[in-house]
Amino acid sequence: MKKLYLVRHAKSSWKNENLKDIERPLNKRGKRDAPFMGELLAKKNAKPEAVYSSPAVRAFDTAQLIAGKLDLPDETIELMPEIYEAGMGELLEIIRELPDEKQNVMLVGHNPGMTSLCNYISDKYFENIPTAAIAEIQFDLETWKDIKMESGKLLSFEFPKKYFPG
């Protein structure tokens, strides 16, 4: 049995137009939402054994803020450059190559790849995965390489606007 948490990075800032896309930080809302989402996961007793994050500042900061609320050690988070700007196919390959000794894994990345991946591997369809959203998907599989179209069951889908409308 495998469990995957797909996380889209929290809301980022566009204030500094001179920053490269990969350097954009979280904005005020993102800094509120990421730890809040971590708290929601903590209430569910989520304990990812590994967190793989895009190296983009906004994604890595999201991963750190969530991991902090889960009391995960810093070494649980690994930067994975391939996640940045990855499409569904690349993200699927990353998941299929995960170490099988890891049962619960979190992937922190970007749209449109995260939405496409979630729609491909789970039994639910989303028009768009919003910022800081977390899709919890379970697979009745022994190995990550066996993940394929609709092989996962969506257990939960959480996003900040559910709790902070407007």
Side-chain angles (χ1 to χ4, degrees), residues 4 8 13 21 24-25 34 47 67 69 71 85 88 93 99-100 106 124 129 139 141-142 148 152 154-156:
L4 179 66
R8 182 177 172 199
S13 173
D21 179 70
R24 283 191 296 114
K47 279 289 183 200
K69 294 298 180 180
D71 293 325
E85 297 186 332
M88 188 274 294
E93 281 310 305
D100 285 325
M106 181 178 287
K124 299 286 188 237
I129 292 181
F139 302 89
L141 301 168
E142 295 300 315
K148 58 186 184 298
L154 186 79
L155 298 181
S156 69

Side-chain angles (χ1 to χ4, degrees), residues 75-93:
E75 58 271 11
T76 306
I77 303 172
E78 182 180 325
L79 287 178
M80 193 175 271
E82 319 72 293
I83 295 173
Y84 181 66
E85 297 186 332
M88 188 274 294
E90 292 111 332
L91 291 171
L92 184 59
E93 281 310 305

Side-chain angles (χ1 to χ4, degrees), residues 10-21:
K11 196 81 174 154
S12 61
S13 173
W14 290 85
K15 276 185 183 174
N16 186 343
E17 295 175 12
N18 295 322
L19 288 179
K20 293 178 184 172
D21 179 70

Side-chain angles (χ1 to χ4, degrees), residues 140-154:
D140 189 14
L141 301 168
E142 295 300 315
T143 178
W144 292 106
K145 73 176 184 288
D146 291 336
I147 289 180
K148 58 186 184 298
M149 187 174 186
E150 296 179 5
S151 60
K153 176 178 175 42
L154 186 79

Side-chain angles (χ1 to χ4, degrees), residues 108-125:
V108 184
H110 311 268
N111 260 355
M114 295 305 265
T115 296
S116 298
L117 177 67
C118 185
N119 288 338
Y120 184 80
I121 63 176
S122 80
D123 58 345
K124 299 286 188 237
Y125 177 84

